[in-house]
Amino acid sequence: MSIPTPQVAAEPRFNLRRLLRISPTTSVWRWMFWAGVSIMVLWVLVPIALLMINAVSTPAQVNGWPKTLTPGFHTDTLMFFWNYQGVITALINSLLAAVFTMVIAIALGAPAGYALARFVFPGMHAYKMIIVMTRAFPMPLLALPLAVIFIQVGIDDSLIGLAFVHATLALPFAVLITSSLFMGIPVELEEAAWTMGCTRWQAFRKVVLPLAAPGIAASAVFAFVISWNEVFASAILTVQNRTLTAFLVQSLAESPAEIKFAGGLVLVVPALLFLFAIRKYLFSMWGIANR
């Protein structure tokens, strides 16, 4: 004779997806979320689109009214700007200064970020605060003392001197980004490597570095973009070796609007191509940092 089992009333299943579809409050938040995302996307893309349209439009279309969103694909303005004396040299100077900045920022910022993530030392919190405070000083305040020091040292009007200045601007971001990445990598992985005979350096090189490489590449991208877009220090600290941004400020102040749009497009495209080329490292960094 079998014993009858008591019947338990089935609990109503919680369906989150259904709740999200029904709840008016959730619907409002969803609409606000997508509205915010749309505004941010338009905020970034609309200026770039207008820049590209005006750069390939005829002078009459650029200066005329009403405006049109269909450019005439007039490349004479771009070719005139490209063949303008000094543009290619300034473009090469910008690339070299950005690469030097990237190397200096990563060479100094990654070890500092690793130290903040793995070690506890006296004054660590003050050190973090000092790193953040370095961004509080405006560049015009620092430009004149830096120019005097560079003249005394003998690196004035040089790309390496300009790279040191740009690295000073990029270094706080490199330290903070790499520090958060190393914090996201479990220290147990290093400890396991130590128990298998690796030294601290071997454990870092074989275990930690491959995991942190995407984030280090992303911080290098930030350093590159900061140097590429920097104007004030480049205009103050260089005379013969001007970067493209300083060259544009100096040469295009009194130029027609179509020439300014062409110069802006030449300035923006390399940075966009660079970001597009390393986009997978940026996406990988988000995954590591959010662990």
Side-chain angles (χ1 to χ4, degrees), residues 240-288:
Q240 299 296 329
N241 297 311
R242 288 196 180 278
T243 60
L244 186 58
T245 53
F247 178 83
L248 291 175
V249 171
Q250 179 191 21
S251 304
L252 298 184
E254 303 297 333
S255 300
E258 60 272 14
I259 301 296
K260 294 179 180 177
F261 284 119
L265 183 63
V266 173
L267 181 64
V268 167
V269 166
L272 292 178
L273 293 177
F274 186 70
L275 289 173
F276 182 79
I278 52 86
R279 66 190 184 283
K280 65 178 182 180
Y281 297 108
L282 290 173
F283 298 149
S284 301
M285 181 198 72
W286 290 338
I288 294 174

Coordinates of all heavy atoms in Angstrom, one line a residue, residues 240-288:
Q240 N 59.7 74.6 -35.2 CA 60.0 73.9 -36.5 C 59.3 72.6 -36.6 O 59.0 72.1 -37.7 CB 61.5 73.8 -36.7 CG 62.3 75.1 -36.6 CD 61.9 76.0 -37.8 OE1 61.6 75.5 -38.9 NE2 62.0 77.3 -37.6
N241 N 59.2 71.9 -35.5 CA 58.6 70.5 -35.5 C 57.2 70.5 -35.0 O 56.8 69.8 -34.1 CB 59.5 69.6 -34.6 CG 60.9 69.5 -35.2 OD1 61.1 69.2 -36.4 ND2 61.9 69.7 -34.3
R242 N 56.4 71.3 -35.6 CA 55.0 71.3 -35.2 C 54.2 70.1 -35.6 O 54.4 69.5 -36.6 CB 54.3 72.5 -35.9 CG 54.7 73.9 -35.3 CD 53.8 75.0 -35.7 NE 54.2 76.3 -35.2 CZ 54.0 76.7 -33.9 NH1 53.3 75.9 -33.1 NH2 54.4 77.9 -33.5
T243 N 53.3 69.7 -34.7 CA 52.4 68.6 -35.0 C 51.2 69.1 -35.8 O 51.1 70.3 -36.1 CB 51.9 68.0 -33.7 OG1 51.2 69.0 -33.0 CG2 53.0 67.4 -32.8
L244 N 50.4 68.2 -36.3 CA 49.3 68.6 -37.2 C 48.3 69.5 -36.5 O 47.9 70.5 -37.2 CB 48.6 67.3 -37.7 CG 47.6 67.6 -38.8 CD1 48.2 68.2 -40.0 CD2 46.9 66.2 -39.2
T245 N 48.0 69.3 -35.3 CA 47.1 70.2 -34.6 C 47.6 71.6 -34.5 O 46.9 72.6 -34.7 CB 46.7 69.6 -33.2 OG1 48.0 69.4 -32.5 CG2 45.9 68.4 -33.3
A246 N 48.9 71.7 -34.1 CA 49.5 73.0 -34.0 C 49.6 73.7 -35.4 O 49.4 74.9 -35.5 CB 50.9 72.9 -33.3
F247 N 49.9 72.9 -36.4 CA 50.0 73.4 -37.7 C 48.7 73.9 -38.2 O 48.6 75.0 -38.8 CB 50.5 72.3 -38.7 CG 50.6 72.7 -40.1 CD1 51.7 73.4 -40.5 CD2 49.6 72.4 -41.0 CE1 51.8 73.8 -41.9 CE2 49.7 72.8 -42.3 CZ 50.8 73.5 -42.7
L248 N 47.6 73.2 -37.9 CA 46.3 73.7 -38.3 C 45.9 75.0 -37.6 O 45.4 75.9 -38.2 CB 45.3 72.6 -38.0 CG 45.3 71.3 -38.8 CD1 44.3 70.3 -38.4 CD2 45.1 71.6 -40.3
V249 N 46.2 75.1 -36.3 CA 45.9 76.3 -35.6 C 46.7 77.5 -36.1 O 46.1 78.6 -36.3 CB 46.2 76.1 -34.1 CG1 46.1 77.4 -33.3 CG2 45.3 75.1 -33.5
Q250 N 47.9 77.2 -36.5 CA 48.7 78.3 -37.0 C 48.4 78.7 -38.5 O 48.3 79.9 -38.8 CB 50.2 77.9 -37.0 CG 51.2 78.9 -37.5 CD 52.6 78.4 -37.7 OE1 52.8 77.2 -37.8 NE2 53.6 79.3 -37.7
S251 N 48.1 77.7 -39.3 CA 47.9 77.9 -40.7 C 46.5 78.2 -41.2 O 46.3 78.9 -42.2 CB 48.5 76.8 -41.5 OG 49.9 76.5 -41.1
L252 N 45.5 77.6 -40.5 CA 44.2 77.7 -41.0 C 43.3 78.7 -40.3 O 42.1 78.7 -40.5 CB 43.5 76.3 -40.8 CG 44.2 75.2 -41.6 CD1 43.4 73.9 -41.5 CD2 44.3 75.6 -43.1
A253 N 43.9 79.6 -39.5 CA 43.1 80.6 -38.7 C 42.4 81.5 -39.7 O 41.2 81.9 -39.4 CB 44.0 81.3 -37.8
E254 N 43.0 81.9 -40.8 CA 42.4 82.8 -41.7 C 42.0 82.2 -43.0 O 41.8 82.9 -44.0 CB 43.4 84.0 -42.0 CG 43.9 84.7 -40.8 CD 42.7 85.4 -40.0 OE1 41.7 85.8 -40.7 OE2 42.8 85.6 -38.8
S255 N 42.0 80.8 -43.0 CA 41.7 80.1 -44.3 C 40.2 80.0 -44.5 O 39.4 80.2 -43.5 CB 42.2 78.7 -44.2 OG 43.6 78.8 -44.1
P256 N 39.7 79.8 -45.7 CA 38.3 79.6 -46.0 C 37.7 78.4 -45.2 O 38.5 77.5 -44.8 CB 38.2 79.4 -47.5 CG 39.5 80.0 -48.0 CD 40.5 79.8 -46.9
A257 N 36.4 78.4 -45.1 CA 35.8 77.3 -44.3 C 36.0 76.0 -44.9 O 36.2 75.0 -44.2 CB 34.3 77.6 -44.2
E258 N 36.0 75.8 -46.2 CA 36.2 74.5 -46.8 C 37.6 73.9 -46.6 O 37.7 72.7 -46.4 CB 35.9 74.6 -48.3 CG 36.8 75.5 -49.1 CD 36.3 76.9 -49.2 OE1 35.4 77.2 -48.4 OE2 36.8 77.7 -50.0
I259 N 38.6 74.8 -46.5 CA 39.9 74.4 -46.1 C 40.0 73.9 -44.7 O 40.6 72.9 -44.4 CB 40.9 75.5 -46.4 CG1 40.9 75.9 -47.9 CG2 42.3 75.0 -46.1 CD1 41.3 74.9 -48.8
K260 N 39.3 74.6 -43.8 CA 39.3 74.2 -42.4 C 38.6 72.8 -42.3 O 39.0 72.0 -41.5 CB 38.5 75.2 -41.6 CG 39.2 76.6 -41.5 CD 38.4 77.6 -40.7 CE 39.1 78.9 -40.6 NZ 38.4 79.9 -39.9
F261 N 37.5 72.6 -43.0 CA 36.8 71.3 -42.9 C 37.8 70.2 -43.5 O 37.8 69.1 -42.9 CB 35.5 71.3 -43.7 CG 34.4 72.0 -43.0 CD1 33.8 73.1 -43.6 CD2 34.0 71.6 -41.8 CE1 32.8 73.8 -42.9 CE2 32.9 72.2 -41.1 CZ 32.4 73.3 -41.7
A262 N 38.5 70.5 -44.5 CA 39.4 69.5 -45.1 C 40.5 69.2 -44.1 O 40.9 68.0 -43.9 CB 40.0 70.0 -46.4
G263 N 41.0 70.2 -43.4 CA 42.1 70.0 -42.4 C 41.5 69.2 -41.2 O 42.2 68.3 -40.7
G264 N 40.3 69.5 -40.8 CA 39.7 68.7 -39.7 C 39.5 67.3 -40.1 O 39.7 66.4 -39.2
L265 N 39.1 67.0 -41.3 CA 38.9 65.6 -41.7 C 40.3 64.9 -41.7 O 40.4 63.7 -41.3 CB 38.3 65.6 -43.1 CG 38.0 64.2 -43.7 CD1 37.0 63.5 -42.8 CD2 37.5 64.2 -45.1
V266 N 41.3 65.5 -42.2 CA 42.7 64.9 -42.2 C 43.1 64.6 -40.8 O 43.8 63.6 -40.5 CB 43.7 65.8 -43.0 CG1 45.1 65.3 -42.8 CG2 43.3 65.8 -44.4
L267 N 42.7 65.5 -39.9 CA 43.1 65.3 -38.5 C 42.3 64.2 -37.8 O 42.9 63.4 -37.0 CB 42.9 66.6 -37.7 CG 43.3 66.6 -36.2 CD1 44.8 66.4 -36.1 CD2 42.8 67.9 -35.6
V268 N 41.1 64.0 -38.2 CA 40.2 63.0 -37.5 C 40.4 61.6 -38.0 O 40.4 60.6 -37.2 CB 38.7 63.5 -37.6 CG1 37.8 62.4 -37.2 CG2 38.5 64.7 -36.8
V269 N 40.6 61.5 -39.3 CA 40.6 60.1 -39.9 C 41.6 59.2 -39.4 O 41.3 58.0 -39.0 CB 40.7 60.3 -41.5 CG1 41.0 58.9 -42.1 CG2 39.4 60.8 -42.0
P270 N 42.9 59.6 -39.2 CA 43.9 58.7 -38.6 C 43.5 58.2 -37.3 O 43.7 57.0 -37.0 CB 45.2 59.5 -38.6 CG 45.0 60.5 -39.7 CD 43.5 60.9 -39.6
A271 N 43.0 59.0 -36.4 CA 42.6 58.6 -35.0 C 41.4 57.6 -35.1 O 41.4 56.6 -34.4 CB 42.2 59.8 -34.2
L272 N 40.5 57.8 -36.0 CA 39.4 56.9 -36.2 C 39.8 55.6 -36.7 O 39.4 54.5 -36.2 CB 38.3 57.5 -37.1 CG 37.6 58.7 -36.6 CD1 36.6 59.2 -37.7 CD2 36.8 58.4 -35.3
L273 N 40.7 55.6 -37.7 CA 41.3 54.3 -38.2 C 42.1 53.6 -37.1 O 42.0 52.3 -37.0 CB 42.2 54.6 -39.4 CG 41.5 55.2 -40.7 CD1 42.5 55.5 -41.7 CD2 40.4 54.2 -41.2
F274 N 42.8 54.3 -36.3 CA 43.6 53.6 -35.3 C 42.6 53.0 -34.2 O 42.8 51.8 -33.8 CB 44.5 54.7 -34.6 CG 45.4 54.1 -33.6 CD1 46.5 53.3 -34.0 CD2 45.2 54.3 -32.2 CE1 47.3 52.7 -33.0 CE2 46.1 53.8 -31.3 CZ 47.1 53.0 -31.7
L275 N 41.6 53.7 -33.9 CA 40.6 53.1 -32.9 C 39.9 51.9 -33.5 O 39.6 50.9 -32.8 CB 39.6 54.2 -32.5 CG 40.1 55.3 -31.6 CD1 39.1 56.4 -31.4 CD2 40.5 54.7 -30.2
F276 N 39.6 52.0 -34.8 CA 38.9 50.9 -35.5 C 39.8 49.7 -35.5 O 39.3 48.5 -35.3 CB 38.5 51.3 -36.9 CG 37.7 50.3 -37.6 CD1 36.4 50.0 -37.4 CD2 38.4 49.5 -38.6 CE1 35.7 49.1 -38.0 CE2 37.7 48.5 -39.3 CZ 36.3 48.3 -39.0
A277 N 41.1 49.9 -35.7 CA 42.0 48.8 -35.8 C 42.2 48.0 -34.5 O 42.4 46.8 -34.5 CB 43.4 49.3 -36.4
I278 N 42.1 48.7 -33.4 CA 42.4 48.1 -32.1 C 41.1 47.9 -31.3 O 41.1 47.8 -30.1 CB 43.5 48.8 -31.3 CG1 43.1 50.3 -31.2 CG2 44.8 48.7 -32.0 CD1 42.3 50.7 -30.1
R279 N 39.9 48.0 -32.0 CA 38.7 48.0 -31.2 C 38.5 46.7 -30.4 O 37.9 46.7 -29.3 CB 37.5 48.2 -32.2 CG 37.3 47.0 -33.2 CD 36.4 47.4 -34.3 NE 36.1 46.2 -35.2 CZ 36.9 45.8 -36.1 NH1 38.1 46.5 -36.3 NH2 36.6 44.8 -36.9
K280 N 39.0 45.6 -30.9 CA 38.8 44.3 -30.2 C 39.5 44.3 -28.9 O 39.1 43.7 -27.9 CB 39.3 43.1 -31.1 CG 40.8 43.1 -31.4 CD 41.1 41.9 -32.2 CE 42.6 41.8 -32.4 NZ 43.0 40.6 -33.2
Y281 N 40.7 45.0 -28.8 CA 41.3 45.1 -27.5 C 40.5 46.0 -26.5 O 40.5 45.7 -25.3 CB 42.7 45.7 -27.7 CG 43.6 44.9 -28.6 CD1 44.0 45.3 -29.8 CD2 44.1 43.7 -28.1 CE1 44.8 44.5 -30.6 CE2 44.9 42.9 -28.9 CZ 45.2 43.3 -30.2 OH 46.0 42.5 -30.9
L282 N 39.9 47.0 -27.0 CA 39.0 47.8 -26.2 C 37.9 47.0 -25.6 O 37.6 47.1 -24.4 CB 38.5 49.0 -26.9 CG 39.5 50.1 -27.3 CD1 38.8 51.1 -28.2 CD2 40.0 50.8 -26.1
F283 N 37.2 46.2 -26.4 CA 36.1 45.4 -26.0 C 36.6 44.4 -25.0 O 35.9 44.0 -24.0 CB 35.4 44.7 -27.1 CG 34.8 45.7 -28.1 CD1 34.7 45.4 -29.5 CD2 34.4 46.9 -27.7 CE1 34.2 46.3 -30.3 CE2 33.8 47.9 -28.6 CZ 33.7 47.5 -29.9
S284 N 37.8 43.8 -25.2 CA 38.4 42.8 -24.3 C 38.7 43.5 -23.0 O 38.5 42.8 -21.9 CB 39.6 42.2 -24.9 OG 39.3 41.6 -26.1
M285 N 39.1 44.7 -23.0 CA 39.4 45.4 -21.7 C 38.2 45.5 -20.8 O 38.3 45.3 -19.6 CB 40.0 46.8 -22.0 CG 40.4 47.5 -20.7 SD 40.5 49.3 -21.0 CE 38.8 49.8 -21.2
W286 N 37.0 45.8 -21.4 CA 35.8 45.9 -20.6 C 35.5 44.6 -19.9 O 35.1 44.6 -18.8 CB 34.7 46.4 -21.6 CG 34.8 47.8 -22.0 CD1 35.6 48.7 -21.5 CD2 34.2 48.3 -23.2 NE1 35.5 49.9 -22.2 CE2 34.6 49.7 -23.3 CE3 33.4 47.8 -24.2 CZ2 34.2 50.5 -24.3 CZ3 33.0 48.7 -25.2 CH2 33.4 50.0 -25.2
G287 N 35.7 43.5 -20.6 CA 35.5 42.2 -20.0 C 36.4 41.9 -18.8 O 35.9 41.4 -17.8
I288 N 37.6 42.3 -19.0 CA 38.6 42.0 -17.9 C 38.3 42.9 -16.7 O 38.3 42.5 -15.5 CB 40.0 42.2 -18.4 CG1 40.4 41.2 -19.4 CG2 41.0 42.1 -17.2 CD1 41.7 41.4 -20.1

